[in-house]
Amino acid sequence: MRNRNTTEGLRHHNRALVLQSLRRIGPSSHTEIAEVSALASGTVSVITAELFEEGALLKQEQPPSKGRGRPRVLLTLNPEFARLAFIHIISGEVEYSLINYNNVLLDRFKVLRHGSETDAAAFGTQVRRDLFRLAERSGLAPHDIAHISIATKGLVGGGGTKLMWSPVFGDSQIDFQALLRPDWAGKVTVNNETCFSAHAKLEEAGRFARHHAVLSLGDSIGLGIASRDRNGQTTYQAPPFGHMLHMPDGPLCRCGVQGCIEAYSGFYGILRSAFDAPADHIPAKFIPKDQMDQLASKARQGDQMIRFAFRQAADVLAMGLSRLMTIHGPMPVTIAGPGLSYFDLMEEQFKMHLEKNLRIRVSHMPQISIETNERRLIFASNTKVSLAAFDGDCVATRLVDRPKSA
Amino acid sequence: MRNRNTTEGLRHHNRALVLQSLRRIGPSSHTEIAEVSALASGTVSVITAELFEEGALLKQEQPPSKGRGRPRVLLTLNPEFARLAFIHIISGEVEYSLINYNNVLLDRFKVLRHGSETDAAAFGTQVRRDLFRLAERSGLAPHDIAHISIATKGLVGGGGTKLMWSPVFGDSQIDFQALLRPDWAGKVTVNNETCFSAHAKLEEAGRFARHHAVLSLGDSIGLGIASRDRNGQTTYQAPPFGHMLHMPDGPLCRCGVQGCIEAYSGFYGILRSAFDAPADHIPAKFIPKDQMDQLASKARQGDQMIRFAFRQAADVLAMGLSRLMTIHGPMPVTIAGPGLSYFDLMEEQFKMHLEKNLRIRVSHMPQISIETNERRLIFASNTKVSLAAFDGDCVATRLVDRPKSA
DNA sequence: AGCCTTTTTTTCGAGACTCGAATTGACTTG
DNA sequence: CAAGTCAATTCGAGTCTCGAAAAAAAGGCT
C-alpha cells in the first residue's frame, strides 16, 4: 500500500478487499462480494470492472438458473493471470510445484536428495536448475513466475529471504533471494514449513481464534506459531524450538550446545537415552522410521528403559511448551510429523506439565490435537499465503489508466 | 477507526496522524506538521481548523520573530481539553496522578498500603475512594476524566482490563473496568508496569529498533517486551516471566508450583538458597532491602554460599532470557528494579548463557543495559500511551458538524 | 511612510473515491 | 407477451486530498 493517507490508497485497500473476498468465498457474484467486503455495491462494480479490464478477473457463465430474476454473473480469478512456484525442501527430497492465479496445481515433480548432500552452494545451484526445469515444462519463461515461495525446516531470517541455520546445512546460510535474483523477476520468500501448518490450523479454527501452534516431531523438532493481531491480520513465526534450552549441561545437541530440547526429544535423542548411550554421542542425522517404530513397540510391550526415553522426550517437549505459553499465553497445539506415531507414549506428560503453568491455571487448558497429513497442510497454506501477498502487493495496485476527460 | 474503507475513515486516519505528529514534535507550526505527517499543507490546514474548533488545539502566540516573512503560528494541544488519571500500584504504596491533555502533571499523591492488606475487594473499594479524591482535589467530576490507566505488577488479562494474578492478591482477580464502570465514564485500562518500561526503552532506541525487553528484579520478577510490527505500530506484553518454569521439581514458588524462575531469582529465592533453607520454605512476601544489601556485601566479600545464591539467581534468569530469545529472537534487555544493585554479582552469567543460544549465535549478542529510575520511565510511558490511545479512539473522531450547504 | 520581499497560512478548483438511489438489464412466470 | 423479480450498472451527491494560487503578516529598503 503506497500512500496510506490519500484517496488512491483507499482504493488500493478496497481493491485488495475485493480480491480477498473472492479468494475466501470462491467464484461469487457481485452482490456476494459487496456483502462479504462490506463495500457499497457501486464500489464493487467499479473495482471488479477495473480488475476485469486488467485481466485479473473473468466473468463466468452463470450456472443453470434457479429462481426468477436476472441471473447472477459469477466472477472468478483468471487462472492465466499469473503463475506462482513453490519449493518444499524435505529431508529426502525437494518438491517443486507450480500453480496458477486461481490456485490450481499445474505441475509438480520431486527431486531426490542424497543423504550426504550438505553442501549449501551445490544445493543452491541445483535448486536454480530444477526451478528452470519447472518453468520450462510448462513453457514459461522465468519472468512469467510472479512469486517463488520456499518452505523448509530450519531457522529463517533476513526478512523472510534467508535460511540462517538448518539441520542439514548447519551454519551454511543460503540467501535464496540473492540466489534467484539474477534470473527470476518475481518476489522470493522463504519460510519455515511449520509456519504454514500453524497458519492453516489457525484459519481452520475460525475467525475468533487468536493463536495456534503446530509442533512437528521427527529427527528434528519444528514449531510454528500463527497469531491474529487486533486488526485481524494473521502473522506467523517459527522459532527454533528444538534448540531452545531445556537444561544446562544436558545431552549434546546436533547444533553443538548441550541441553537443547531436540537433544532429548528428537529421534536421535530418544534413541540415545533408550540405549543409554553417552550423552555426547550423536547417533545419526536421520534415524530410519523402522528403527523408531521398533523402539516404540518395545516400549509399548513394557520395556522400562525405552518407555522412559519416550516419556522423557515428552516431558521435555511439554516443559518447552509450558515455557512458550508463559510467554504467549495458552494456545491450542497440534502435534504433527513422523514422531506423531509415538504420541500415545507421550500424551499424558503433556497435560501433566501444562496444567502447572500459571497462565493456564488462571485461564484454561489448551486443546491438544493431532494432524496426520502435515504436508498437505503446508502446501495448501503456502499457496494461500503467497497468493494473498501477491494480491496485496501487486494486483491491488492500479494498472489501467484512468479514463481521461477529453 | 470506524469504517476503514470510506473517505470518512481516511479523514479519521489523517486526523490521528496530525495529533500524533503534534505529540511527537511538540508545539509546531502548520508547515512542520505537514512535513512530519506527510500530508499536503491544505489538508493540514483543514484538519487543524477542525480540531481548533472542537477545542483540542490552541493557537499560540508566535515567539519573538527571527527573520522576515509571516511569522509561524504555533499550534499546541489544549491542556484544558481533557484530563487523564493514572494509578501506579507499587509494593508499599499506591500512587495517583492526574495530567491534562498536554501531558502536564496536575496533581499527585500517594496512599500507603499496609503490608498485610491482601484483600482484593477491600483494595478495590479503597481505590475507588482514592480516585474520587483525586478528582475532587482538582475540582473535577468523575465524567471529566477521559481515561484511567493503571500500572501494576502481576498478570493482566481480559483485554487489558483485569488483573488475573498478582504477587499480592494471588488468584483474587480484580476487574478494574467493572469496578470503576458505575461512576467513571472514561475508558479504563490495566497494564503490567514493565510493559511501559519496555515501551519507553523501545521508543528511546529509535525508529528502527524492533524489540526491547525490560527485566525488573526484586521480590518478584517482572518482564516487559515491546515490539514494533511492520506497520510501525508498537505493541507490548508482560508475560509472567517470573513464573516461567525453570526446572521441574525445583524449589517452591509463591505461586504454588515448583521450579519457577522467581523461586530461584526473586529476593526470597536468593535468600533461601543463601542460607540453605529448605526448598519448600518461603521466607516472606517482602524482604527488606537492607537485608538483601547485607547479603550482597557478604557475597562481595567472598562468602561462597551467598555468592553461589546470587550466581544461581543469575543463571536461572539468563536461561530464562535465552528461552525467551529462542522464541522472539535476540533483543536488547534492560535490567531494572531494586535487584539491580546486585547486578555486579550476576552480570557475567548473562553473557555466558546467552552466547550459547542458537539464534544469538547466528545473528548477534544483544545489548544488556541498566536503568536505575524505572518508576519515572513507567509513568512517562504510561501517559504517552494513554494519550495516544485517547487521541486515536476519541479525538480523531469527527465531532463538529460539517458546514451545511445553505 | 510606503512599497517590496519573504515566508506562512488559507482558500479554492480539480481529481478521486465511496455511497446509495435510480436505472437498466436479463430472465422467469403467468 | 406483458408483468414481475432480482442483479448489475450508472450517476449524482457528498467527502476527501492535493497543490497551485491567493491572502496574510511580518521585515527590509528607498
Side-chain angles (χ1 to χ4, degrees):
Chain A
M1 206 171 300
R2 260 235 295 284
N3 200 353
R4 195 67 163 286
N5 37 13
T6 188
T7 51
E8 279 93 343
L10 186 56
R11 169 58 67 92
H12 180 107
H13 178 256
N14 288 341
R15 282 168 61 107
L17 216 54
V18 167
L19 289 166
Q20 203 178 302
S21 309
L22 213 43
R23 289 232 180 261
R24 210 173 71 226
I25 60 177
S28 37
S29 75
H30 229 114
T31 331
E32 288 172 300
I33 294 175
E35 269 169 33
V36 171
S37 65
L39 291 168
S41 105
T43 308
V44 175
S45 203
V46 175
I47 289 178
T48 52
E50 268 178 27
L51 289 171
F52 178 77
E53 197 74 14
E54 291 165 20
L57 297 188
L58 288 183
K59 289 175 184 166
Q60 193 176 280
E61 272 318 293
Q62 75 281 8
S65 67
K66 40 187 188 290
R68 39 164 113 196
R70 177 175 177 176
R72 300 184 160 188
V73 177
L74 288 190
L75 295 166
T76 65
L77 298 159
N78 179 3
E80 304 291 318
F81 187 63
R83 276 106 191 154
L84 287 75
F86 298 88
I87 308 178
H88 191 174
I89 302 170
I90 315 175
S91 317
E93 65 189 42
V94 183
E95 182 185 82
Y96 294 83
S97 311
L98 187 73
I99 65 164
N100 64 23
Y101 187 59
N102 201 13
N103 201 3
V104 173
L105 186 64
L106 299 179
D107 188 19
R108 167 172 285 174
F109 62 82
K110 293 167 189 176
V111 178
L112 292 180
R113 286 167 69 196
H114 315 296
S116 58
E117 192 194 311
T118 57
D119 178 351
F123 179 72
T125 55
Q126 179 68 38
V127 166
R128 289 187 56 177
R129 206 176 358 247
D130 292 332
L131 207 48
F132 270 112
R133 214 177 107 212
L134 183 70
E136 253 169 47
R137 278 164 56 127
S138 298
L140 299 173
H143 74 262
D144 291 327
I145 303 219
H147 189 137
I148 299 168
S149 175
I150 301 164
T152 175
K153 289 186 194 308
L155 177 60
V156 171
T161 64
K162 271 169 92 171
L163 182 60
M164 307 293 283
W165 189 92
S166 64
V168 178
F169 303 111
D171 282 317
S172 306
Q173 305 186 347
I174 307 180
D175 183 339
F176 283 99
Q177 181 140 294
L179 180 73
L180 302 174
R181 164 71 53 243
D183 307 298
W184 302 87
K187 201 172 154 190
V188 177
T189 55
V190 189
N191 283 103
N192 182 291
E193 53 179 11
T194 51
C195 282
F196 295 120
S197 321
H199 184 268
K201 281 288 172 184
L202 185 64
E203 300 274 290
E204 243 175 52
R207 298 188 70 64
F208 296 106
R210 297 199 45 82
H211 298 280
H212 200 105
V214 170
L215 180 63
S216 185
L217 307 177
D219 286 297
S220 62
I221 306 290
L223 179 86
I225 305 170
S227 316
R228 236 188 282 271
D229 64 20
R230 78 193 79 90
N231 308 326
Q233 276 222 308
T234 308
T235 58
Y236 43 81
Q237 52 171 322
F241 183 73
H243 302 283
M244 183 158 97
L245 175 70
H246 172 61
M247 201 154 296
D249 310 317
L252 184 64
C253 176
R254 273 202 302 236
C255 78
V257 306
Q258 290 177 264
C260 293
I261 288 179
E262 190 180 294
Y264 297 88
S265 311
F267 281 174
Y268 70 95
I270 297 176
L271 197 66
R272 184 165 52 191
S273 55
F275 291 129
D276 207 16
D280 62 346
H281 174 238
I282 294 187
K285 219 146 210 180
F286 302 108
I287 312 291
K289 186 78 179 11
D290 287 352
Q291 196 176 347
M292 291 301 296
D293 284 342
Q294 282 170 31
L295 214 59
S297 77
K298 279 187 198 157
R300 289 188 191 104
Q301 284 157 29
D303 183 318
Q304 285 304 315
M305 191 75 184
I306 300 179
R307 203 180 179 80
F308 167 80
F310 278 101
R311 291 187 51 162
Q312 179 182 250
D315 278 326
V316 171
L317 287 169
M319 290 186 239
L321 285 180
S322 169
R323 289 166 183 145
L324 173 73
M325 293 191 197
T326 294
I327 293 169
H328 276 303
M331 68 180 89
V333 179
T334 298
I335 315 280
L340 181 59
S341 334
Y342 323 124
F343 187 54
D344 60 310
L345 293 166
M346 319 204 287
E347 186 163 11
E348 64 178 302
Q349 311 297 305
F350 279 77
K351 193 163 168 258
M352 189 189 92
H353 287 287
L354 289 180
E355 70 190 6
K356 291 183 189 166
N357 183 291
L358 178 65
R359 285 185 92 159
I360 290 176
R361 279 185 289 157
V362 303
S363 82
H364 67 280
M365 185 70 179
Q367 186 118 36
I368 296 189
S369 57
I370 61 168
E371 167 62 49
T372 50
N373 193 349
E374 192 187 6
R375 197 152 153 187
R376 184 188 48 80
L377 222 56
I378 291 168
F379 182 72
S381 185
N382 195 352
T383 58
K384 264 194 199 165
V385 169
S386 301
L387 284 166
F390 177 61
D391 281 345
D393 291 350
C394 307
V395 192
T397 313
R398 179 57 122 341
L399 285 181
V400 290
D401 285 350
R402 292 176 193 76
K404 290 287 173 198
S405 57
Chain B
M1 204 171 300
R2 262 234 295 283
N3 199 353
R4 195 65 163 285
N5 38 14
T6 189
T7 51
E8 278 94 342
L10 187 56
R11 169 58 67 92
H12 180 107
H13 178 257
N14 288 341
R15 281 167 62 107
L17 215 55
V18 167
L19 290 166
Q20 202 177 300
S21 309
L22 214 43
R23 290 234 180 259
R24 210 172 70 226
I25 61 178
S28 36
S29 75
H30 230 115
T31 331
E32 288 171 301
I33 294 175
E35 269 169 33
V36 170
S37 65
L39 290 168
S41 110
T43 308
V44 175
S45 202
V46 175
I47 289 177
T48 52
E50 268 178 28
L51 290 170
F52 178 77
E53 197 73 14
E54 290 164 21
L57 297 187
L58 287 183
K59 289 176 184 165
Q60 193 176 281
E61 273 316 292
Q62 74 280 9
S65 67
K66 40 187 188 289
R68 47 159 118 196
R70 178 175 176 173
R72 299 184 162 190
V73 176
L74 289 190
L75 296 167
T76 66
L77 298 159
N78 180 1
E80 305 292 318
F81 187 63
R83 277 103 190 155
L84 287 74
F86 298 88
I87 308 178
H88 191 175
I89 303 170
I90 315 174
S91 317
E93 65 189 44
V94 182
E95 181 185 83
Y96 295 82
S97 310
L98 186 73
I99 66 166
N100 64 21
Y101 188 58
N102 202 13
N103 201 2
V104 173
L105 186 65
L106 299 178
D107 187 19
R108 165 171 288 173
F109 61 84
K110 292 166 191 177
V111 179
L112 293 181
R113 287 168 68 196
H114 315 296
S116 58
E117 191 195 310
T118 58
D119 179 350
F123 179 73
T125 54
Q126 179 65 38
V127 165
R128 288 187 55 176
R129 207 176 358 249
D130 292 333
L131 208 48
F132 271 112
R133 214 176 108 212
L134 183 70
E136 253 169 45
R137 279 164 56 125
S138 297
L140 299 172
H143 73 260
D144 291 326
I145 304 220
H147 188 137
I148 301 169
S149 175
I150 301 165
T152 175
K153 289 187 196 306
L155 177 60
V156 171
T161 64
K162 271 169 93 171
L163 182 60
M164 308 293 284
W165 189 92
S166 65
V168 177
F169 303 111
D171 282 316
S172 306
Q173 306 186 347
I174 306 180
D175 183 340
F176 283 99
Q177 181 140 291
L179 180 74
L180 302 174
R181 165 71 54 242
D183 307 298
W184 302 87
K187 199 172 155 190
V188 177
T189 56
V190 190
N191 283 103
N192 181 291
E193 54 180 11
T194 50
C195 282
F196 294 120
S197 320
H199 185 268
K201 282 288 174 185
L202 185 64
E203 300 274 290
E204 244 176 50
R207 299 188 70 65
F208 296 107
R210 299 199 45 81
H211 299 280
H212 200 106
V214 170
L215 180 64
S216 185
L217 307 177
D219 286 297
S220 63
I221 306 291
L223 178 86
I225 305 171
S227 316
R228 236 189 279 273
D229 65 19
R230 81 192 78 88
N231 308 327
Q233 275 224 305
T234 308
T235 57
Y236 42 82
Q237 52 171 322
F241 183 73
H243 302 283
M244 183 158 98
L245 174 71
H246 172 61
M247 202 153 296
D249 310 317
L252 184 65
C253 176
R254 273 201 302 233
C255 77
V257 307
Q258 291 177 266
C260 293
I261 289 178
E262 192 180 293
Y264 297 88
S265 312
F267 282 174
Y268 70 96
I270 297 175
L271 197 65
R272 182 166 53 190
S273 55
F275 292 128
D276 207 15
D280 61 347
H281 174 237
I282 295 187
K285 218 148 208 180
F286 303 110
I287 313 292
K289 185 78 181 4
D290 287 353
Q291 196 177 347
M292 290 301 295
D293 284 342
Q294 282 170 31
L295 214 61
S297 77
K298 278 186 198 157
R300 290 188 190 104
Q301 285 158 28
D303 183 316
Q304 285 304 314
M305 192 75 184
I306 301 178
R307 203 180 178 80
F308 167 81
F310 278 102
R311 290 187 52 163
Q312 180 183 248
D315 279 325
V316 171
L317 287 170
M319 289 186 239
L321 285 180
S322 169
R323 289 167 185 143
L324 174 74
M325 292 191 198
T326 294
I327 292 168
H328 277 302
M331 69 179 88
V333 178
T334 299
I335 315 281
L340 181 58
S341 335
Y342 322 124
F343 187 54
D344 60 310
L345 294 166
M346 317 203 291
E347 186 165 8
E348 64 178 300
Q349 311 296 308
F350 279 76
K351 195 164 165 256
M352 189 190 92
H353 287 286
L354 288 181
E355 71 190 6
K356 290 183 190 166
N357 184 290
L358 178 65
R359 284 184 93 159
I360 291 177
R361 278 186 288 156
V362 303
S363 80
H364 67 281
M365 185 70 179
Q367 188 118 35
I368 296 189
S369 56
I370 62 168
E371 167 62 51
T372 50
N373 192 349
E374 194 188 6
R375 199 152 150 187
R376 184 188 48 77
L377 222 56
I378 291 168
F379 182 72
S381 184
N382 195 352
T383 58
K384 263 193 200 167
V385 169
S386 301
L387 284 166
F390 178 61
D391 282 345
D393 291 350
C394 308
V395 191
T397 312
R398 188 37 130 346
L399 285 181
V400 291
D401 285 349
R402 291 177 194 75
K404 291 288 172 193
S405 57

